[in-house]
Amino acid sequence: MSRGRPKKFNNDQALHDAMLVFWRHGYRGTALDDITAALNINKPSLYAAFGGKEELFLQVIDHYRAHILAPIAKPLSECNNLKDGLRQYFRDIAKIVMGKETPPGCLVACMLAEECCQTESIKAKLAGAIAESDRFFCRVFEKHKDELNPQITPEAAAVLLVSTLHGLSIRARAGASQESIESGASAFLRVALKQP
Amino acid sequence: MSRGRPKKFNNDQALHDAMLVFWRHGYRGTALDDITAALNINKPSLYAAFGGKEELFLQVIDHYRAHILAPIAKPLSECNNLKDGLRQYFRDIAKIVMGKETPPGCLVACMLAEECCQTESIKAKLAGAIAESDRFFCRVFEKHKDELNPQITPEAAAVLLVSTLHGLSIRARAGASQESIESGASAFLRVALKQP
DNA sequence: TTAAATTTGTACCAATCAGTATAAAAACCC
DNA sequence: GGGTTTTTATACTGATTGGTACAAATTTAA
């Protein structure tokens, strides 16, 4: 163990809890005092561990992608059947986005809408996250091109899918019903995939 | 002319300019001083004309729907051919959402993502705006059901369309290229409409 | 036991926020 | 012109914001 007074909190857990606060209240809507209260730590500890509000938020985005998005994307990237893979993926996304266990909506989509015209570093990080989502789904659709509606390319299908999910996530934030979200997701499946 | 010192500004023009400020900087990101500076008026005048920040914003949303969204929706509701009608509608939406003449993104979608978990009145107003968009497109798809991909109902098509547009609008806010936006929109057209 | 290192807790700062009190200014009516 | 009405302009308030100074607390190394 290192010298000095021991840390009271775990950095990863703190990042997770800070994520939940930003997720629910937005970037501007979150005061640093809200975060220190949720983590039960003091502001100097927060600054020592993560830097200021902006730096903390950038790390929260990384945490979100690594711990929320990546785990449900993995099965899709490994599936043998696009239709079933996407169906499961949509179920998982819906569970997150509906906000029963987590705050509603997609953190990337919501914070992008809110803050990207204000802080360049945040805009860059979130735009990068979208670009990587595009590339991910593009690879998935390339791999299962035989199941894709031949009217669209994998690139266009990826943009359409990511945009649909972001739009549905905003809808969920407005308090939309589970059925409404699922009807949008299943509509995508029915039109974007080749019908047997 | 009424008694008293004459007003320096026009209420509708002021609402329009206030809309542009909120649109670009978000609800929390906009200070009332930003608005009074843009309108070249003083705070007491703003309060007398529109009430506080929240009431002003609610009126801005109405203004946006009446003066930005409604004019481009009208041709679609009157068109005889869904494909051409939607194509033109997407062109008009893209022009707005790309933010060349106005701030980027869709005001309803962006403010919903930002603020709906904070202020109940704003959430209600924006959720109502989405519900009415759903109903509008549902009517359009009902009317042109013969042109719709038979895999989906008009209701589901409406949810999918509105969600896609909201998602694309967020993407535009991240600085996406015109091609990227158009590829998403045209992908929707190719899969959601019955192919000849 | 003492010194060095590191974190915590309290208290504070300057800036900014939404909102308001008050009086001057500018019009109309008589 | 005097009185009334309405809007404008200045200046202010109390609350909240992100960020920091500083000392007490708690550990390891010697």
Side-chain angles (χ1 to χ4, degrees):
Chain A
M1 199 176 193
S2 67
R3 206 131 77 132
R5 182 169 173 171
K7 278 186 73 166
K8 195 183 158 187
F9 64 98
N10 169 270
N11 269 19
D12 254 21
Q13 180 64 43
L15 222 42
H16 191 85
D17 294 343
M19 173 188 74
L20 294 178
V21 181
F22 277 125
W23 195 345
R24 184 171 304 279
H25 298 109
Y27 180 71
R28 308 289 252 233
T30 297
L32 286 187
D33 288 336
D34 297 336
I35 293 182
T36 56
L39 309 203
N40 194 31
I41 64 174
N42 307 109
K43 256 191 282 190
S45 301
L46 192 72
Y47 275 83
F50 304 108
K53 187 181 187 182
E54 189 177 327
E55 292 97 320
L56 168 63
F57 184 73
L58 295 175
Q59 292 170 69
V60 160
I61 297 295
D62 287 333
H63 182 93
Y64 175 79
R65 294 175 61 195
H67 292 83
I68 303 290
L69 294 186
I72 64 174
K74 189 152 178 279
L76 177 59
S77 69
E78 292 165 349
C79 75
N80 292 321
N81 177 286
L82 180 59
K83 189 170 198 168
D84 293 340
L86 271 183
R87 244 205 278 265
Q88 182 59 48
Y89 182 79
F90 283 168
R91 263 195 294 271
D92 293 338
I93 282 279
K95 197 186 301 178
I96 292 172
V97 144
M98 283 301 296
K100 291 195 197 302
E101 297 166 20
T102 56
C106 163
L107 181 67
V108 168
C110 293
M111 301 301 110
L112 190 49
E114 174 189 353
E115 191 58 21
C116 78
C117 291
Q118 316 257 29
T119 312
E120 205 51 46
S121 64
I122 293 178
K123 173 177 182 172
K125 162 117 351 201
L126 293 171
I130 289 197
E132 203 189 288
S133 285
D134 284 356
R135 281 194 298 272
F136 169 75
F137 284 108
C138 191
R139 279 197 304 273
V140 170
F141 288 133
E142 289 275 11
K143 180 176 162 191
H144 302 275
K145 201 166 177 183
D146 54 305
E147 285 188 66
L148 199 62
N149 184 329
Q151 292 286 333
I152 49 174
T153 63
E155 290 85 5
V159 171
L160 184 62
L161 169 55
V162 173
S163 297
T164 301
L165 289 181
H166 286 166
L168 287 174
S169 124
I170 285 186
R171 183 176 288 262
R173 212 158 160 88
S177 67
Q178 182 114 28
E179 300 85 54
S180 166
I181 303 298
E182 280 169 2
S183 91
S186 104
F188 176 89
L189 277 180
R190 276 203 283 270
V191 299
L193 267 48
K194 187 185 288 180
Q195 291 307 315
Chain B
M1 199 178 194
S2 68
R3 208 132 75 133
R5 181 167 172 172
K7 279 186 71 167
K8 195 181 156 187
F9 64 99
N10 169 271
N11 268 18
D12 255 20
Q13 180 64 43
L15 222 42
H16 192 85
D17 293 343
M19 173 188 74
L20 294 178
V21 181
F22 276 126
W23 195 345
R24 184 170 306 279
H25 298 108
Y27 181 71
R28 307 290 252 234
T30 296
L32 287 187
D33 289 335
D34 297 336
I35 293 182
T36 56
L39 310 203
N40 194 32
I41 65 175
N42 306 109
K43 256 191 282 190
S45 300
L46 192 74
Y47 275 83
F50 303 108
K53 188 181 186 182
E54 190 176 326
E55 293 96 322
L56 168 63
F57 184 73
L58 295 175
Q59 294 171 68
V60 160
I61 297 295
D62 287 333
H63 182 93
Y64 175 79
R65 293 175 62 195
H67 291 83
I68 303 290
L69 293 186
I72 63 175
K74 188 152 180 280
L76 177 59
S77 69
E78 293 166 349
C79 75
N80 291 320
N81 176 285
L82 180 59
K83 189 169 198 169
D84 292 340
L86 272 182
R87 244 205 278 265
Q88 182 59 47
Y89 182 78
F90 283 167
R91 263 195 294 270
D92 292 339
I93 283 279
K95 197 186 299 178
I96 291 171
V97 144
M98 283 301 295
K100 293 196 195 305
E101 297 165 20
T102 55
C106 164
L107 181 67
V108 168
C110 293
M111 300 302 108
L112 189 49
E114 173 188 352
E115 192 57 21
C116 78
C117 290
Q118 315 258 29
T119 312
E120 205 52 44
S121 64
I122 293 178
K123 174 177 181 172
K125 162 109 9 196
L126 293 170
I130 287 197
E132 203 188 290
S133 284
D134 283 358
R135 282 193 298 273
F136 169 76
F137 285 108
C138 193
R139 279 197 304 273
V140 170
F141 288 133
E142 288 276 11
K143 180 175 163 190
H144 302 275
K145 203 168 176 182
D146 56 303
E147 286 189 65
L148 198 63
N149 183 329
Q151 293 286 333
I152 50 174
T153 64
E155 290 85 6
V159 171
L160 185 61
L161 170 54
V162 173
S163 298
T164 302
L165 289 181
H166 285 167
L168 288 174
S169 122
I170 285 187
R171 184 176 289 261
R173 212 158 160 88
S177 67
Q178 182 112 29
E179 299 87 54
S180 166
I181 302 298
E182 280 169 1
S183 92
S186 104
F188 175 89
L189 277 179
R190 275 202 284 271
V191 298
L193 266 47
K194 187 185 289 178
Q195 290 307 315

